[in-house]
Amino acid sequence: MSTSSNPFGQVLVALVTPFTADGEVDWADVEKHIDDVITAGADGIVVTGTTGETSTLTDPEKIRLVEVGKSVAAGRAKIITGGGSNETAHAMQLYKASEKAGADAVMIVTPYYNKPTQAGVLTHFRMIADATDLPVILYDIPGRTGIPITYETILRAAKHPNILAIKDAKGDFSEVSRVLNQTDLLYFSGDDANVLPHLSIGASGLIGVTANIAAAPYRVIVDAVNAGDLATATAAHKALEPLVRAVMTHVPGTVAAKYILHGLGRIGSPRVRLPLVGPEDAEAAQIEDEIALVGAIPGLDLSNFRPDRNAAAGGALPKIAGTTR
């Protein structure tokens, strides 16, 4: 797939934001982790998204994550700024600043908590898309926002020249097919367990949490689907299944991904910011049991997995609170 037809990439990592033990951004770890996932096959990085703990990042931290991402990627992967705001004016400011900082694209989540009508959702998207020249991905995740982007709203939003894609976390495959039939939108799987099914009906790629830990097999899946090699794609999908379950089932994906990355020695601390907390003992045990079921996966060596429940316990209060104006 050419860059001109898809300006985002196909294997996109919903990047965790590594923190120090006291909850401050660990910028050295950020640089290392971005380089790691790009080396493993990612061609797109979504910073400051849900998995990046956007709700508790300050705006200056979000902008710096874009700048650091651009510097580390050095043209090897697209840097997409996620998150946004449930206040349209704030989201517009944030995305303008992200564009100035060098972002290649923006991902706009449906306004959360406010629960606007679909007319409000559409206006939110259009005004943000008008405020930037960057290509836009809409993010449909009603489990977090409280409302979906309805099929009719997707069709109307797709007419905006900057709105080129949608990240789907609803799992409604019939709607995916309808949208692909009725629009030119690129579809990205936002559900790690359903990446291959989404690709099989025409999705362009994925924006994944588990890819923080294992980007290489997602590269295998995408490349195999592009080549029409379903057997290779299916084998990689099956190999990933217990890892996806470990990351996405027992605690929020951010929490599990950091717990596993720290256990592998790939980030210095598994700390998350409150109100997120590390896994309790029973949850940690479930994650570890799933990890024990993971077989051979390209680019992933679990032989040195040494989880640290004490380091992950609780959550951090950063020195400066994230604000929404």
Side-chain angles (χ1 to χ4, degrees):
M1 183 173 292
S2 69
T3 301
S4 60
S5 60
N6 176 359
F8 309 106
Q10 290 188 274
V11 179
L12 277 61
V13 177
L15 199 80
V16 300
T17 305
F19 296 140
T20 61
D22 60 359
E24 299 306 308
V25 178
D26 187 327
W27 294 105
D29 265 7
V30 169
E31 292 184 15
K32 179 180 179 298
H33 186 49
I34 292 172
D35 187 65
D36 283 349
V37 296
I38 293 174
T39 300
D43 54 8
I45 308 291
V46 177
V47 296
T48 78
T50 304
T51 307
E53 299 178 68
T54 185
S55 299
T56 49
L57 293 172
T58 66
D59 282 1
E61 287 172 334
K62 293 175 184 179
I63 299 307
R64 187 173 173 192
L65 281 163
V66 172
E67 293 169 343
V68 170
K70 284 291 288 186
S71 175
V72 175
R76 297 177 295 162
K78 300 295 185 180
I79 301 299
I80 298 137
T81 187
S85 174
N86 64 338
E87 182 196 12
T88 306
H90 179 229
M92 291 167 66
Q93 289 179 347
L94 186 60
Y95 288 125
K96 286 178 182 177
S98 296
E99 181 176 9
K100 188 176 180 180
D104 295 297
V106 300
M107 187 172 76
I108 310 173
V109 71
T110 316
Y112 43 88
Y113 191 71
N114 319 58
K115 295 189 77 172
T117 64
Q118 289 297 304
V121 171
L122 183 61
T123 301
H124 181 79
F125 290 152
R126 284 175 170 169
M127 291 193 71
I128 296 169
D130 283 343
T132 174
D133 291 327
L134 294 177
V136 170
I137 305 172
L138 305 182
Y139 185 14
D140 191 6
I141 183 166
R144 287 185 179 273
T145 63
I147 52 172
I149 311 172
T150 66
Y151 170 71
E152 293 76 16
T153 300
I154 293 171
L155 294 189
R156 295 173 72 186
K159 296 177 182 178
H160 194 288
N162 288 353
I163 297 175
L164 304 185
I166 186 164
K167 175 184 176 182
D168 178 82
K170 282 192 297 197
D172 185 340
F173 288 90
S174 61
E175 182 175 289
V176 174
S177 294
R178 289 177 73 194
V179 172
L180 288 171
N181 279 339
Q182 297 299 318
T183 75
D184 293 324
L185 289 176
L186 302 171
Y187 239 90
F188 288 90
S189 177
D191 181 354
D192 286 9
N194 285 324
V195 167
L196 180 56
H198 272 125
L199 290 170
S200 72
I201 60 171
S204 302
L206 63 117
I207 302 175
V209 181
T210 307
N212 279 280
I213 299 160
Y218 287 107
R219 183 81 261 164
V220 170
I221 290 172
V222 166
D223 290 347
V225 170
N226 289 344
D229 183 357
L230 182 59
T232 296
T234 301
H237 166 80
K238 288 181 176 179
L240 275 168
E241 189 271 333
L243 181 62
V244 170
R245 200 164 61 242
V247 174
M248 304 302 294
T249 304
H250 309 294
V251 293
T254 302
V255 174
K258 284 189 169 183
Y259 186 68
I260 296 168
L261 287 167
H262 179 254
L264 292 170
R266 288 170 52 184
I267 59 174
S269 170
R271 184 67 69 215
V272 290
R273 286 179 175 174
L274 286 162
L276 292 182
V277 294
E280 297 190 70
D281 279 348
E283 296 164 336
Q286 290 176 309
I287 294 169
E288 292 159 19
D289 287 347
E290 308 284 18
I291 291 294
L293 299 175
V294 178
I297 291 180
L300 180 65
D301 180 5
L302 292 171
S303 63
N304 292 321
F305 180 57
R306 302 289 186 272
D308 187 339
R309 298 182 188 181
N310 289 332
L317 283 173
K319 295 175 184 176
I320 301 174
T323 59
T324 56
R325 279 166 60 97

